[in-house]
Amino acid sequence: MEDLALYIHWPFCLAKCPYCDFNSHVRDIIPQTRIAAALRTELAYEATRLGPRRLTSIFFGGGTPSLLDPEHVAALINDAAKKFTFADDIEITLEANPTSIEAGRFAGYAQAGVNRVSIGVQSFDEPALKFLGREHSAPQAIAAIELGRKIFPRLSFDLIYARPGQTEPVWRAELNQALTLAADHLSLYQLTIEDGTQFATRYARGEFSLPSDDVQARLYEATAEEAAKFGLAPYEISNYARPGGESRHNLTYWRYADYAGIGPGAHGRITLNGTKLATQKHRAPEPWADLVEANSTGETVSEPIDPPTQAREALLMGLRLAEGIATTTFKSHTGIALTDALEPDILTQAIEAGYLTHTATRLTATPEGAKRLDALLPALVR
Ligand SMILES: C[S@@+](CC[C@H](N)C(=O)[O-])C[C@H]1O[C@@H](n2cnc3c(N)ncnc32)[C@H](O)[C@@H]1O
Ligand code: SF4
């Protein structure tokens, strides 16, 4: 039986951040009890069809899962423990926002079984937090990290850089502050303008501009340099960890192994009776809950993925990793030999240009190649 990762989506936030296109919703009163009950129902549905599998990670993502009371988190973890076999070193992560109310719940989450938090800090600069529409201050973020480090064995936090007007020295200084506070993991994202967000409208109106491609590339290189000084290596394009601090849950996605997703809008990639399925749940919270209450699941998509699509997905995910793609894992997950999934001419050109390295056992993007993956992959993948 293949190991499994479990993703649980909590779809509510206190406010919608202007840059964010995640499936997150704001309500005057969050229907917490109803949604938590529906998550438990959908978890039972997944467990029934998946059968007894070994669970290597659980990830409470959002939205803002730190708005969910610890008792509900505990109930979901207990259900999962009854229905699956927990790996000895199971990683249970919860995404948290650093307001003081949410940090106040940290002990409750730890008691529920959460052993890793991922805190959405975004910046330590007050004007930047304001620009990003965040509800917390820099001192609150620092306090949440310090408290989190005392309570959880593992901790990560997110920052968004390459913001309007951000220069390399200013970013290096902010990053150094982050690195002195960091535990075993950091996610460092470049600001992207996503369609349908408030930023997309304001950016189109010319209200702000982003650093040029050259500056963004320099900021990216500076990020890896500063992180290395503190012993954190980029194991994925935007993720940095000390050895052993890598997010096991996210590695499951990038290595194209099986994960089940429950909650509004959650995706899954699960193998049932030897067939890999793509699954998706209804995106809107209340209609999703209606479906779960009627049918035990809010699933709207469940379809077999053909081997060429699997190969494409596995390449898109795996080349983001510094470790690249292992030839044997690729074959066992997709049924296709790695070389058969690639355009030979483009592969040769990309190797000669220094964007990829290819050995008998692995295909890996070089740091230069990692910067160009979006441009490279459509031509490379058959
Ligand atoms: C689901 S959110 C994190 C959890 C939590 N709701 C929070 O905001 O603190 C995942 C992360 O993606 C990053 N992110 C979201 N939209 C982004 C964008 N347009 N550009 C760069 N990073 C983004 C942020 O760092 C955010 O913390
Ligand atoms: S960034 Fe986080 S808090 Fe902000 S809207 Fe997105 S999910 Fe919610």
Side-chain angles (χ1 to χ4, degrees), residues 7 9-10 12-13 15 17-24 59-66 94-98 102 118-122 132 134 136 157-161 187-194 197 199:
Y7 176 75
H9 190 75
W10 181 255
F12 301 111
C13 294
C17 303
Y19 54 85
C20 176
D21 77 339
F22 283 81
N23 186 26
S24 63
F59 194 100
F60 290 87
T64 305
S66 50
L94 182 130
E95 277 181 348
N97 284 26
E102 291 161 75
S118 171
I119 305 177
V121 169
Q122 321 309 357
L132 293 169
R134 299 296 291 184
H136 65 265
F157 60 87
D158 299 349
L159 295 181
I160 296 181
Y161 70 103
S187 297
L188 305 169
Y189 300 110
Q190 297 206 351
L191 176 61
T192 54
I193 304 300
E194 305 292 342
T197 59
F199 268 8

Side-chain angles (χ1 to χ4, degrees), residues 103-136:
R105 297 206 177 104
F106 280 5
Y109 295 133
Q111 218 164 13
V114 172
N115 55 26
R116 182 174 181 271
V117 275
S118 171
I119 305 177
V121 169
Q122 321 309 357
S123 175
F124 291 106
D125 176 65
E126 292 297 342
L129 287 172
K130 204 157 188 269
F131 169 72
L132 293 169
R134 299 296 291 184
E135 302 261 306
H136 65 265

Side-chain angles (χ1 to χ4, degrees), residues 81-381:
K82 283 192 200 121
K83 292 169 193 306
F84 299 102
T85 308
F86 275 13
D88 291 341
D89 60 349
I90 187 168
E91 171 188 278
I92 305 182
T93 305
L94 182 130
E95 277 181 348
N97 284 26
T99 68
S100 45
I101 300 163
E102 291 161 75
R105 297 206 177 104
F106 280 5
Y109 295 133
Q111 218 164 13
V114 172
N115 55 26
R116 182 174 181 271
V117 275
S118 171
I119 305 177
V121 169
Q122 321 309 357
S123 175
F124 291 106
D125 176 65
E126 292 297 342
L129 287 172
K130 204 157 188 269
F131 169 72
L132 293 169
R134 299 296 291 184
E135 302 261 306
H136 65 265
S137 63
Q140 275 178 327
I142 295 167
I145 294 166
E146 286 173 346
L147 179 67
R149 288 194 61 166
K150 286 192 196 122
I151 291 179
F152 298 99
R154 299 175 60 203
L155 177 142
S156 178
F157 60 87
D158 299 349
L159 295 181
I160 296 181
Y161 70 103
R163 303 185 302 256
Q166 199 176 30
T167 61
E168 195 185 314
V170 167
W171 168 233
R172 281 188 195 262
E174 187 177 359
L175 182 54
N176 265 279
Q177 186 181 3
L179 286 160
T180 54
L181 291 162
D184 59 344
H185 192 282
L186 287 180
S187 297
L188 305 169
Y189 300 110
Q190 297 206 351
L191 176 61
T192 54
I193 304 300
E194 305 292 342
D195 287 347
T197 59
Q198 198 199 102
F199 268 8
T201 314
R202 289 168 51 192
Y203 183 71
R205 279 200 214 120
E207 281 182 28
F208 64 87
S209 57
L210 293 178
S212 67
D213 287 353
D214 273 3
V215 172
Q216 290 196 19
R218 280 214 304 280
L219 293 177
Y220 186 73
E221 277 157 23
T223 305
E225 274 173 30
E226 296 299 329
K229 291 181 197 160
F230 287 79
L232 278 88
Y235 70 101
E236 190 268 352
I237 294 178
S238 307
N239 286 279
Y240 297 74
R242 297 191 204 284
E246 298 85 1
S247 159
R248 288 173 218 150
H249 185 82
N250 287 339
L251 279 175
T252 297
Y253 300 154
W254 295 319
R255 289 177 178 157
Y256 205 56
D258 267 18
Y259 63 95
I262 65 167
H267 291 258
R269 290 287 180 278
I270 52 174
T271 308
L272 286 183
N273 305 319
T275 303
K276 188 126 170 157
L277 298 177
T279 66
Q280 201 184 337
K281 307 292 158 64
H282 197 300
R283 271 179 73 83
E286 289 81 3
W288 165 83
D290 291 341
L291 285 174
V292 175
E293 286 157 8
N295 310 322
S296 304
T297 178
E299 190 158 86
T300 50
V301 178
S302 171
E303 52 194 32
I305 318 172
D306 59 44
T309 307
Q310 286 186 41
R312 207 170 309 123
E313 290 189 341
L315 277 162
L316 285 171
M317 292 304 217
L319 286 177
R320 302 175 63 89
L321 288 172
E323 69 181 22
I325 297 172
T327 338
T328 46
T329 322
F330 186 88
K331 177 89 203 282
S332 71
H333 282 152
T334 66
I336 293 182
L338 182 54
T339 39
D340 291 343
L342 304 169
E343 285 294 345
D345 295 351
I346 307 289
L347 177 62
T348 310
Q349 284 169 25
I351 292 169
E352 282 171 6
Y355 298 154
L356 294 176
T357 54
H358 191 204
T359 66
T361 54
R362 275 186 187 275
L363 178 70
T364 311
T366 63
E368 281 303 304
K371 284 189 220 156
R372 295 172 173 78
L373 272 190
D374 290 346
L376 189 62
L377 281 168
L380 178 69
V381 179

